[in-house]
Amino acid sequence: MPPDPAQAAPEAREPAAPGPLGVARTPTGDAGVDALLARLADADRLPADAHPQVYEDVHQGLRETLAALDARPGPVPVSREPSPSPSYDLRS
């Protein structure tokens, strides 16, 4: 009777070396965001178990960048209420 493949011992394999994923990163035009996205390239040279830390760092940086947009003072909103009619003194 041939051996049952389910009971066969798994072959010992060495983990593959880190390699580039080949994911293109398009510049956004914002230097801070582009620097964070460039940090993703670190994952190309790190083992897979180190990838979550890189992703968490980039995610946190992007969240902080978005939060900073909410904190910036913006233009003063224009009032939609009609302005009072000017009063003219027509006495001569």
Side-chain angles (χ1 to χ4, degrees), residues 29-76:
D30 182 291
V33 171
D34 290 341
L36 288 165
L37 295 178
R39 168 105 164 83
L40 292 173
D42 290 347
D44 287 347
R45 63 178 175 71
L46 296 171
D49 62 346
H51 290 187
Q53 185 60 48
V54 172
Y55 300 146
E56 288 173 14
D57 290 347
V58 172
H59 184 247
Q60 182 62 34
L62 292 172
R63 287 178 58 95
E64 289 171 3
T65 300
L66 287 173
L69 291 174
D70 288 338
R72 287 186 190 166
V76 177

Side-chain angles (χ1 to χ4, degrees), residues 22-26:
V23 176
R25 287 174 290 278
T26 305

